[in-house]
Amino acid sequence: VTTRWKLTIEYDGSGFSGWQRQLKDVSVQEAIETAIAEFSGEAVRLHASGRTDAGVHALAQVAHFDLDRPTTGPVVRDALNYYLRFLPVAILDVAEASPDFHARFSALSRSYRYRILNRKAPAPLEVGRAWHVPKMLDVGAMQTAADLLVGTHDFSTFRAAGCQSNSPLKTLSRIDVRRVGDLVTVETDARSFLYHQVRNMVGSLSLVGTGRWTVDDFAKAFAARTRAAGGPTAPPEGLYFLTTRYSENVTS
Amino acid sequence: VTTRWKLTIEYDGSGFSGWQRQLKDVSVQEAIETAIAEFSGEAVRLHASGRTDAGVHALAQVAHFDLDRPTTGPVVRDALNYYLRFLPVAILDVAEASPDFHARFSALSRSYRYRILNRKAPAPLEVGRAWHVPKMLDVGAMQTAADLLVGTHDFSTFRAAGCQSNSPLKTLSRIDVRRVGDLVTVETDARSFLYHQVRNMVGSLSLVGTGRWTVDDFAKAFAARTRAAGGPTAPPEGLYFLTTRYSENVTS
């Protein structure tokens, strides 16, 4: 009998072409599928909670796959980490899931964190791990603007071309802008996000933070419902896929 | 007239041969001295608060140098960061210092942080930034052992060959072992340290943490006053030079 396995995955997105398998360049999906094949001899398809772009990191990406071979979670985890040992991806946890669990479709909500290094000098220890914004950001103004995004809205202003979602309507349940020293973080939760939505929201919020936009400018751009009215897309290296929340009963 | 400048420096030690200028490989000292020459046309000698080994990082290394050319702190900072832009080193602050200020000899104390990633799975986002110890560490036992190190002692057990200090006697003013989730940190302050002292102390403390040594074993090794009695040297990538404290009146 087939067992469905749920993986929790950390990766440094810098070296990958993103989550999704491509013809050229190494994706996270391909790296892990290859490790599973090396471990089990089975060719499997891995399904992720959410795809990430090139350069975007994950602290707890979730994915599932099915295996015929009987085994245990710790054995799968240690075997995959062995085959992945030269790549910047690690399997944090492997748990048996119920047959109807689906990493993408069973998800109740997803969380992202965006990290901005906000100081004049660059930060060698944050290269590839944060967006360097030298101009001082007004975190209070950013939060005031961000509050406008909470709830169900048409997010077309923050939707990239190529988005495969049927609708631009999304429900943002939380967005928090915080500063700890030189580090400004934006954390946000939603059932799902449009393509580049977090990076586009952060890009526009940064205009409010530096004072180039007032909160009212931000509100007008949001209400315009067109990407052309939005600010820049924040770079991928500041973005971290944090967690996916599932209902209790889909994993065993 | 010559002005003495005090630099505060951050670097990712991974790509460097260490602080000190060498014939082969690029050192942090050489990188910054080259940037100063490119900016000012003056060949200067840079003096650091403390040398760091290859792979060791710094969040606030301090160094000084003298310049004939009249200029200002912000100009020097921005110019050096421009010339250093392709290297993992950044100048956080440049301040005018009094002529008798010396980054090494005026220092009252230095602080280091050692970061241990303590979990079964490796961490792609901590590669080169922490020591990965898969076996669970007992932080309480490590702190009990670490407490034995506070005060003035003969630290020969934690002194590497090649140490240029006249005496193995050093005074440790603080050592704190803390856990936040998977991350165990050891922070320590002293007027000065022996060669590899922090990494050697952490290596021996890790034996207490995993239970291979009791606190009594640690005490005996410390009392033996010979490196042969000590535990392993913790790897450089977990070590961060944090800060140097100076008396108020040496910088203007």
Side-chain angles (χ1 to χ4, degrees):
Chain A
V1 290
T2 287
T3 307
R4 181 153 291 190
W5 296 100
K6 176 186 174 227
L7 305 180
T8 308
I9 307 156
E10 176 177 328
Y11 49 87
D12 175 353
S14 313
F16 290 108
S17 61
W19 171 267
Q20 197 177 12
R21 198 181 252 280
Q22 301 193 337
L23 283 181
K24 298 195 299 180
D25 304 325
V26 177
S27 65
V28 182
Q29 183 186 5
E30 180 185 352
I32 302 174
E33 286 177 351
T34 302
I36 295 169
E38 287 176 307
F39 152 63
S40 67
E42 299 180 40
V44 305
R45 172 78 186 283
L46 199 57
H47 300 266
S49 162
R51 295 167 187 166
T52 53
D53 283 316
V56 174
H57 314 294
L59 289 167
Q61 171 72 282
V62 176
H64 81 266
F65 69 99
D66 296 329
L67 215 57
D68 292 333
R69 169 184 183 155
T71 180
T72 70
V75 165
V76 176
R77 182 197 61 200
D78 293 346
L80 296 188
N81 282 331
Y82 173 78
Y83 288 109
L84 291 165
R85 68 195 181 283
F86 298 123
L87 291 172
V89 48
I91 311 300
L92 307 190
D93 188 62
V94 179
E96 197 176 329
S98 68
D100 61 342
F101 170 78
H102 193 289
R104 181 172 170 202
F105 299 119
S106 306
L108 299 179
S109 75
R110 289 147 176 108
S111 305
Y112 283 91
R113 178 183 297 150
Y114 197 95
R115 299 176 81 237
I116 300 171
L117 178 82
N118 187 37
R119 69 179 193 194
K120 188 96 179 164
L125 288 163
E126 293 288 352
V127 169
R129 305 288 167 85
W131 180 24
H132 180 211
V133 175
K135 207 173 166 192
M136 193 51 52
L137 294 171
D138 179 342
V139 167
M142 289 170 74
Q143 183 67 64
T144 304
D147 288 342
L148 301 171
L149 305 174
V150 175
T152 304
H153 304 282
D154 181 327
F155 281 91
S156 293
T157 298
F158 306 118
R159 180 187 202 176
C163 181
Q164 289 169 25
S165 176
N166 291 323
S167 158
L169 286 176
K170 291 288 170 191
T171 304
L172 211 70
S173 43
R174 179 178 78 98
I175 182 161
D176 290 327
V177 187
R178 288 204 191 89
R179 172 187 293 280
V180 178
D182 292 334
L183 194 71
V184 172
T185 58
V186 181
E187 278 193 26
T188 183
D189 304 338
R191 182 177 174 88
S192 63
F193 292 90
L194 300 168
Y195 189 47
H196 284 183
Q197 184 182 339
V198 179
R199 289 165 56 192
N200 287 338
M201 293 191 305
V202 170
S204 288
L205 288 173
S206 77
L207 296 181
V208 176
T210 59
R212 268 190 60 191
W213 276 11
T214 63
V215 173
D216 195 51
D217 292 334
F218 184 91
K220 281 176 184 150
F222 187 33
R225 301 180 191 183
T226 166
R227 181 72 195 106
T233 304
E237 63 265 26
L239 188 59
Y240 294 72
F241 191 103
L242 276 192
T243 52
T244 311
R245 202 163 55 81
Y246 296 99
S247 66
E248 292 297 321
N249 55 349
V250 290
T251 53
S252 61
Chain B
V1 290
T2 287
T3 307
R4 180 153 292 189
W5 296 100
K6 176 186 174 228
L7 305 180
T8 307
I9 308 157
E10 175 177 328
Y11 48 88
D12 175 353
S14 313
F16 291 107
S17 61
W19 171 268
Q20 197 177 11
R21 197 182 254 278
Q22 301 195 336
L23 282 181
K24 298 196 299 181
D25 304 325
V26 177
S27 64
V28 182
Q29 182 186 5
E30 181 185 352
I32 302 173
E33 285 177 352
T34 303
I36 296 169
E38 287 176 308
F39 152 63
S40 67
E42 298 180 39
V44 304
R45 171 81 185 281
L46 200 57
H47 300 266
S49 162
R51 295 167 186 168
T52 53
D53 283 315
V56 174
H57 314 295
L59 289 167
Q61 171 73 282
V62 176
H64 81 266
F65 68 99
D66 295 328
L67 213 59
D68 293 333
R69 170 184 183 155
T71 181
T72 70
V75 164
V76 176
R77 182 197 61 200
D78 294 348
L80 297 188
N81 282 331
Y82 173 78
Y83 287 109
L84 291 165
R85 69 195 181 284
F86 299 122
L87 290 173
V89 49
I91 310 300
L92 308 189
D93 188 64
V94 178
E96 198 176 327
S98 68
D100 60 342
F101 170 77
H102 193 290
R104 182 171 168 203
F105 299 118
S106 307
L108 298 179
S109 74
R110 290 147 175 107
S111 305
Y112 282 91
R113 178 183 296 150
Y114 197 96
R115 299 176 80 236
I116 300 172
L117 178 81
N118 187 36
R119 70 179 193 193
K120 188 97 180 160
L125 288 162
E126 292 288 352
V127 169
R129 306 288 169 85
W131 180 24
H132 180 212
V133 175
K135 207 173 167 194
M136 193 52 51
L137 293 170
D138 179 343
V139 168
M142 289 170 73
Q143 183 67 65
T144 304
D147 289 342
L148 301 171
L149 305 174
V150 175
T152 304
H153 304 282
D154 181 327
F155 280 92
S156 293
T157 298
F158 306 117
R159 179 187 200 176
C163 181
Q164 290 169 23
S165 178
N166 291 323
S167 158
L169 286 176
K170 291 289 171 189
T171 303
L172 210 69
S173 44
R174 180 178 77 98
I175 181 161
D176 290 327
V177 186
R178 289 205 189 90
R179 172 188 292 281
V180 178
D182 291 335
L183 194 71
V184 172
T185 57
V186 181
E187 277 193 27
T188 184
D189 303 339
R191 183 177 174 88
S192 62
F193 292 91
L194 299 169
Y195 189 48
H196 285 182
Q197 184 182 340
V198 180
R199 288 166 57 193
N200 287 338
M201 293 191 304
V202 169
S204 288
L205 288 173
S206 77
L207 297 182
V208 176
T210 59
R212 268 189 60 191
W213 275 11
T214 61
V215 173
D216 196 50
D217 292 335
F218 183 91
K220 281 176 185 149
F222 186 33
R225 301 180 191 184
T226 165
R227 181 72 195 105
T233 305
E237 63 265 26
L239 188 60
Y240 294 71
F241 191 103
L242 279 191
T243 52
T244 310
R245 202 163 56 80
Y246 297 97
S247 66
E248 293 297 321
N249 57 346
V250 291
T251 54
S252 61

